[in-house]
Amino acid sequence: MDYLKIKGIDSLQGSIKIAGAKNASLPLIAMTILAKNKLNIENLPDVVDIKTLLKLLTNLGAQCSFEEHHVSVDTKNIHETRATYDIVKTMRASILVLGPILARFGHCEVSLPGGCAIGQRPIDLHLKALEQMGAEIDIKAGYVETKAPNGLKGCEIIFDKITVTGTANIVMAAALAKGTTTIVNAAREPEVVQLCEILNNSGVKIKGIGTSVLKIKGTNGKLVDIKDFAIIPDRIEAGTYLCAAAITNSELTITDVEPKHLDAVIRKFEEMGFSFTLTKDTITIYPANEIKPVKIITQEYPAFPTDMQAQFMALATQANGTSIIEERLFENRFMHVSELQRMGADISLNGHIATVKGKTELSGTDVMATDLRASSALVLAGLIAKGETDIHRIYHLDRGYDSLEKKLQNAGAKVQRLKE
Ligand code: EPU
């Protein structure tokens, strides 16, 4: 197994190029199941989750070739409709194939994903919405078995809670349904917006894109002609490298990014004393005179993202004063706290609220990655810790960060990937 060895440094410099968004790529790869043509997707991040989903599609009978941030996918010969446990257990986002397979073939079987490090993460909202669209659903031997022999029908769906992959799944199911589906309380994340825009440019009429009410006019079972496209930049990868600059109090430019997707994150950095120059596709962060404490509440887009919570917690250990971080989306997304504490952070937890007292000196030691974003918080802490930090179980990082150690090395970090 690989691990990362990080030596504490004084500062970073230069620029880091941001990859395509993992969480946009996953639904868009699943969307190819709705296409009648072979299509090319550019700017995919080279991360394990993308390879996992392509493997799932290949198991179903699709032809996929992935190289150099580019994939071509032909789903014409898909004949299997079962997403098996061996893949789903490694990546919950496999559930994204449910909507499109059910819509295209009239049945689909997906393994239930099981437990998750950041919380329960049920899929009840996906299933309830599909039921409303006319699907029959059974849970048998660990699998969700869905059937809609007469096709899915448009209806009004009101999500009890905003769900990102739930919205994507239902948008894809609705794309081939009979009639119009209205989704109320839809997710507005940029990744959902890109999915809607591409379908809208491919003959599925979607109104309300980027708002919380989507109206999707289905094609009544006809597959769609989808043009080649490129994935939007990864706002969470971008935010993570901005945190790397902030925690080392350095000037750093990130390129190939969409600054407006980071509004809420940039606002928090500004509250902490950092300043910025933005262009159309770059963000430069400048050091703070004094790093100030911050109050953060994670919420759905456009508010502050849960996927940046762990990284800001690492940064808050270097603020002069007490920061409060409230996690509202996932009940258990504080696995990084005990590892940061082992490095010397002063963090106390009360339910879903963390209180971080700064500034504390961190010391390098052995720590363990527990989920993707928790792992990146440990990398950030390692950048400024005294001595060496060894981060184990970095397969979590490899799921979502493209060339992490190379990008950091180019900006002056002392990071090495080694074998246990
Ligand atoms: N929820 C339900 N029932 C459902 C679906 C969701 O109760 O059927 C709850 C969840 O338990 C959670 C909340 O609703 O409390 C929001 O979950 P959501 O469904 O929005 O999360 P997701 O779609 O499973 C995506 C990202 C996550 C990101 C969340 C929140 C992908 C592939 N994953 O997950 O990304 O944290 O939205 O923004 O898009 C990551 O990249 O590290 C990551 C975990």
Side-chain angles (χ1 to χ4, degrees), residues 22-24 26-27 49 91-93 95-96 116 118-127 159 161-167 187 189 191 235-236 299-301 305-307 328-331 333 371-373 399-400:
K22 165 183 83 78
N23 290 348
L26 294 170
D49 272 10
M91 190 183 68
R92 303 179 64 80
I95 192 68
L96 282 164
C116 170
I118 65 174
Q120 278 196 1
R121 304 186 76 185
I123 52 163
D124 57 316
L125 301 174
H126 303 231
L127 301 184
F159 276 127
K161 215 172 178 183
I162 298 174
T163 161
V164 175
T165 49
T167 303
E189 270 65 6
E191 296 76 20
R235 63 196 166 97
I236 306 301
Q299 272 169 299
E300 296 84 3
Y301 190 86
T306 172
D307 289 344
R328 290 243 180 117
L329 271 90
F330 295 108
E331 71 270 21
R333 206 172 199 179
D371 76 71
L372 175 56
R373 309 305 170 184
R399 291 186 50 189

Side-chain angles (χ1 to χ4, degrees), residues 119-242:
Q120 278 196 1
R121 304 186 76 185
I123 52 163
D124 57 316
L125 301 174
H126 303 231
L127 301 184
K128 192 172 151 199
L130 290 172
E131 243 168 359
Q132 276 185 265
M133 296 177 78
E136 290 163 31
I137 297 179
D138 265 331
I139 311 279
K140 274 194 203 148
Y143 278 75
V144 183
E145 301 192 349
T146 57
K147 268 190 280 186
N150 302 318
L152 294 168
K153 289 178 201 69
C155 64
E156 183 182 75
I157 289 152
I158 305 178
F159 276 127
D160 293 338
K161 215 172 178 183
I162 298 174
T163 161
V164 175
T165 49
T167 303
N169 232 338
I170 301 310
V171 165
M172 291 188 279
L176 297 199
K178 191 171 176 190
T180 297
T181 303
T182 303
I183 306 178
V184 180
N185 209 20
R188 292 181 285 160
E189 270 65 6
E191 296 76 20
V192 173
V193 169
Q194 185 174 30
L195 171 71
C196 291
E197 279 171 349
I198 288 169
L199 283 170
N200 189 50
N201 290 335
S202 310
V204 180
K205 284 292 143 233
I206 306 185
K207 285 192 186 149
I209 296 177
T211 75
S212 54
V213 180
L214 295 170
K215 281 187 191 296
I216 305 123
K217 190 161 178 241
T219 64
N220 196 8
K222 277 201 241 77
L223 294 181
V224 288
D225 206 343
I226 302 177
K227 292 184 194 69
D228 296 347
F229 59 87
I231 302 289
I232 57 169
D234 195 315
R235 63 196 166 97
I236 306 301
E237 189 200 18
T240 304
Y241 290 125
L242 290 175

Side-chain angles (χ1 to χ4, degrees), residues 87-102:
I87 294 215
V88 180
K89 73 167 191 235
T90 65
M91 190 183 68
R92 303 179 64 80
S94 308
I95 192 68
L96 282 164
V97 300
L98 174 59
I101 294 183
L102 177 63

